[in-house]
Amino acid sequence: MFPALLIEKTSEGAQNVSEQSLSDAQLPEGDVTVRVEWSTLNYKDALAITGKGPIVRSYPMVPGIDCAGTVETSSHPGLVAGQRVVLNGWGAGESHWGGLAERVRVPGDWLIPLPSALNARQAMALGTAGYTAMLCVRALIREGVTPKSGPIVVTGASGGVGSVALMLLSKLGYEVTAVTGHPEEEPVLRKLGASDILPRQTLLRMTRPLEKAQWAGAVDVAGGAVLAAICASMKYQGVVTACGLAAGMDFPATVAPFILRGVTLVGIDSVYCPKEERLAAWQQLADLIDPEKLNGILTEITLPDVKQAAADLLDGKIRGRILVRLAAPENAG
């Protein structure tokens, strides 16, 4: 038996979330079973656990869109017992039981071997947020944005994706403007690599089809009016990577930035990203990330804390990365 967070629907249609003891026989189909050491609490997990977003597609569901641990059993030709692995996306925590449990069983093709430079805790300190940030940075580079192109703007800079994006971009030599709704976070954001701080409200006041051209590239986690303002403020042939909808699903923009400044809007999907790109992103994360800076943005909790932490995350009471320890301390590598 092992502990897991389980989301169920009552006969009245209400959602119930509780920690339960489950057996391996209850795990869903898959050719690899992993002993989970660390998981995380992401924005999508918080929406699922609180019921404030239509994330869960079937019940009962173990939430958790990512985890890291050790293969216990495998009939997959590319994975063996004892191998360290990472899981991100593929519907984990949405349509397939996810990582907020001491055991997870998934198709082996979903798993990525843990880069040798990272342990399981460090991998989840990055987690889907860090992996998504790396996908955004890789897209900017692929589209030709270099440090000489001009400054990069990162929205939601106090959150998981934004904070890791700041670290990665500054490490690569870019000048970065951090957008935040939490001005008290300025010292932390500058330590992570921000050259400039832009209050979110200042950005939201930019409502014209074209604003002053300021940035060569962008990492946006917000969507909505924030993304529209970012696009309107890009330099000629600027590149915007969009990976989230924290400020809304809508996009109240015009075509002006795209047809008058040649702006490119690149969508970033971390859930079904091809395995080759995942491998490259995780290896680049292992090469670039500063563990000391990473430790400075972590909040560590255990499974019984997750339900309350999910509510706190959506209320803006927790920022940075939230680590969830599943294994006993002596076994949490």
Side-chain angles (χ1 to χ4, degrees):
M1 305 296 288
F2 60 89
L5 196 69
L6 197 66
I7 305 176
E8 300 174 288
K9 270 284 182 72
T10 67
S11 56
E12 293 79 23
Q15 180 170 290
N16 180 61
V17 182
S18 62
E19 184 180 342
Q20 296 192 24
S21 185
L22 305 178
S23 69
D24 281 10
Q26 293 174 272
L27 288 170
E29 291 185 1
D31 52 7
V32 180
T33 301
V34 177
R35 174 172 54 81
V36 179
E37 297 165 22
W38 295 92
S39 185
T40 63
L41 182 65
N42 296 279
Y43 186 77
K44 185 182 284 188
D45 299 321
L47 290 174
I49 292 165
T50 61
K52 292 183 177 180
I55 304 300
V56 178
R57 301 177 191 174
S58 64
Y59 296 88
M61 177 60 58
V62 174
I65 63 172
D66 55 14
C67 62
T70 303
V71 173
E72 285 205 326
T73 62
S74 172
S75 58
H76 186 277
L79 296 166
V80 297
Q83 192 167 358
R84 313 301 296 283
V85 291
V86 175
L87 169 67
N88 295 109
W90 297 112
E94 301 177 63
S95 56
H96 190 98
W97 283 14
L100 286 170
E102 278 192 11
R103 296 283 188 281
V104 64
R105 182 179 292 150
V106 296
D109 287 342
W110 293 3
L111 298 168
I112 296 294
L114 187 67
S116 58
L118 297 175
N119 59 33
R121 185 181 187 277
Q122 290 169 330
M124 285 298 99
L126 292 161
T128 291
Y131 151 66
T132 302
M134 190 73 251
L135 292 178
C136 291
V137 173
R138 286 174 58 82
L140 290 174
I141 295 171
R142 186 171 61 245
E143 294 292 330
V145 180
T146 71
K148 293 182 179 179
S149 302
I152 311 297
V153 62
V154 175
T155 67
S158 299
V161 174
S163 55
V164 177
L166 282 180
M167 285 188 275
L168 293 171
L169 288 164
S170 65
K171 177 80 171 183
L172 290 167
Y174 292 86
E175 178 186 344
V176 190
T177 296
V179 177
T180 182
H182 304 279
E184 71 278 7
E185 293 291 312
E186 179 172 346
V188 175
L189 296 175
R190 290 195 180 277
K191 188 174 181 180
L192 293 176
S195 305
D196 196 15
I197 308 296
L198 180 67
R200 185 170 59 219
Q201 286 305 314
T202 301
L203 184 68
L204 289 173
R205 287 194 289 270
M206 300 177 184
T207 57
R208 295 180 298 180
L210 285 177
E211 296 284 348
K212 177 184 176 182
Q214 300 183 61
W215 301 298
V219 174
D220 178 62
V221 306
V226 172
L227 177 57
I230 290 293
C231 289
S233 305
M234 298 303 292
K235 298 174 72 172
Y236 187 74
Q237 292 191 334
V239 179
V240 180
T241 59
C243 65
L245 43 70
M249 181 80 79
D250 61 331
F251 184 39
T254 74
V255 299
F258 309 106
I259 65 173
L260 298 179
R261 289 185 181 164
V263 170
T264 298
L265 179 58
V266 181
I268 302 297
D269 168 52
S270 63
V271 178
Y272 298 108
C273 181
K275 191 168 186 176
E276 294 75 17
E277 179 70 4
R278 290 172 183 265
L279 286 166
W282 272 105
Q283 187 56 59
Q284 203 165 0
L285 277 172
D287 294 340
L288 291 174
I289 207 66
D290 183 336
E292 290 300 319
K293 286 187 178 180
L294 194 59
N295 283 332
I297 61 168
L298 297 180
T299 298
E300 186 176 316
I301 63 175
T302 57
L303 197 60
D305 307 318
V306 168
K307 187 175 177 180
Q308 181 59 53
D312 290 343
L313 176 59
L314 294 187
D315 288 341
K317 297 177 181 178
I318 304 177
R319 293 186 283 279
R321 299 286 299 128
I322 304 172
L323 269 173
V324 184
R325 179 171 54 79
L326 275 303
E330 63 272 17
N331 297 320

